[in-house]
């Protein structure tokens, strides 16, 4: 398979993944996103915030660009726990909530748009140079 086909496949796979998050934000209320089923059961809010925030944070390894999330964004999104939770236990993170759905959606769209722009700008002729960087990013984000 050519580098161009591989890169096209990667672009389409990310677009498909991102579309699931976008659909969730379009079709799910904030109450549903934040619904707490019980002790150590992660709400949808945790999954949404964790993936998007980890994706944002690890993007720096690929591109050298600083992450989007900063104090201003955290204030706007108002997560109950302003942490992606990667190094925390379910007991520490099961109460994660998103305070402002619109701000989170805006943040998510910026994170995803930045990744799609980066993928769009990759040169298939130079894709070998990016393979290990991209694999590192995927390993961090998809755990």
């Amino acid at each position: 398979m050519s580098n161009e086909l591989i890169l096209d496949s990667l672009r389409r796979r990310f677009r498909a993944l991102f579309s699931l998050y976008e659909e969730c934000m379009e079709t799910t209320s904030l109450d549903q996103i934040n619904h707490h089923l019980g002790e150590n059961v992660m709400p949808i809010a945790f999954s949404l915030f964790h993936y998007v925030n980890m994706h944002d944070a690890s993007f720096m390894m690929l591109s050298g660009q600083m992450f989007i999330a900063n104090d201003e964004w955290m204030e706007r999104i108002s997560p109950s726990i302003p942490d992606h939770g990667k190094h925390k236990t379910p007991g520490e993170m099961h109460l994660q909530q998103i305070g402002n759905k619109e701000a989170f959606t805006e943040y998510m769209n910026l994170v995803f748009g930045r990744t799609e722009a980066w993928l769009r700008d990759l040169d298939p002729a130079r894709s070998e140079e990016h393979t290990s960087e991209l694999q590192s990013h995927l390993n961090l984000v998809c755990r």
Side-chain angles (χ1 to χ4, degrees):
M1 185 181 281
S2 73
N3 289 341
E4 192 168 324
L5 286 174
I6 292 169
L7 190 53
D8 180 63
S9 175
L10 185 61
R11 290 172 180 143
R12 287 183 288 111
R13 289 168 191 243
F14 267 104
R15 172 77 321 256
L17 174 66
F18 296 163
S19 75
L20 297 173
Y21 283 78
E22 292 161 353
E23 182 179 0
C24 176
M25 295 309 294
E26 291 169 5
T27 62
T28 310
S29 72
L30 187 59
D31 286 340
Q32 291 169 317
I33 289 169
N34 287 332
H35 183 71
H36 185 250
L37 289 171
E39 194 75 20
N40 294 330
V41 178
M42 298 302 183
I44 295 169
F46 172 80
S47 297
L48 289 169
F49 188 79
H50 173 78
Y51 177 78
V52 173
N53 196 242
M54 281 299 299
H55 190 103
D56 182 21
S58 61
F59 187 76
M60 186 171 33
M61 288 182 266
L62 288 175
S63 67
Q65 296 176 27
M66 289 300 292
F67 42 87
I68 294 168
N70 57 24
D71 291 342
E72 181 181 312
W73 273 107
M74 290 301 103
E75 188 174 317
R76 287 185 60 206
I77 296 167
S78 300
S80 58
I81 305 168
D83 190 293
H84 49 63
K86 181 148 181 66
H87 303 293
K88 296 191 181 288
T89 67
E92 294 172 289
M93 295 304 295
H94 75 276
L95 296 176
Q96 179 65 286
Q97 305 279 284
I98 291 174
N100 184 322
K101 181 182 173 187
E102 291 75 23
F104 176 78
T105 301
E106 184 181 349
Y107 166 62
M108 177 187 78
N109 289 335
L110 287 171
V111 170
F112 292 169
R114 180 177 64 175
T115 297
E116 288 182 301
W118 184 83
L119 287 169
R120 186 176 50 251
D121 293 342
L122 284 180
D123 179 358
R126 297 180 55 222
S127 64
E128 286 86 9
E129 297 172 30
H130 303 290
T131 302
S132 64
E133 295 169 351
L134 185 56
Q135 189 59 52
S136 295
H137 179 69
L138 291 172
N139 287 341
L140 283 173
V141 169
C142 296
R143 285 186 192 177

